[in-house]
Amino acid sequence: MSDAATVEFPARPARVHSPQRPDPTPLRLWRGFSGSLAAGLVLLLVVELVVQFWASDHAVPGPGAGVVTGHAVAAALAVAGQLVADRARGWTSAALATAVVLVTALALWFLWWA
């Protein structure tokens, strides 16, 4: 057997991670509130789907396709906005959480009370 030459590679420099400061408590609370509203919209959509299917089986007028579709769109927008808000930082996170609250308010206003 022959002696193989040992090849040594230079050491890789260690990655320097700068620790990110956590978001302030009011922003975390605001994101938590908007997240609960987004989850509430999803639950409301599930309830409306169940009621719509039940109503169609029993020949009773249900919420209707327009209301169910409106809730589906609002829930999708709210969940997407909340996912991005949870991953964003600072003002972007606050603005997206506010958008989730507004989408929820508009959905409830136009699909329930108007």
Side-chain angles (χ1 to χ4, degrees):
M1 286 192 23
S2 65
D3 289 327
T6 304
V7 178
E8 291 187 27
F9 294 101
R12 292 175 57 187
R15 289 188 178 192
V16 177
H17 293 289
S18 60
Q20 293 184 357
R21 292 186 350 221
D23 286 328
T25 301
L27 178 57
R28 287 183 292 165
L29 290 173
W30 184 241
R31 275 197 325 252
F33 175 68
S34 66
S36 66
L37 291 179
L41 271 179
V42 171
L43 290 175
L44 187 58
L45 172 64
V46 170
V47 168
E48 282 194 350
L49 285 170
V50 169
V51 169
Q52 183 64 38
F53 284 122
W54 180 87
S56 65
D57 285 345
H58 292 84
V60 178
V67 172
V68 174
T69 303
H71 273 284
V73 169
L77 287 173
V79 168
Q82 187 63 38
L83 286 174
V84 177
D86 286 340
R87 287 161 177 75
R89 309 217 16 106
W91 287 105
T92 305
S93 179
L96 287 167
T98 302
V100 169
V101 172
L102 289 175
V103 164
T104 304
L106 290 172
L108 292 177
W109 179 261
F110 286 110
L111 298 173
W112 283 82
W113 290 292

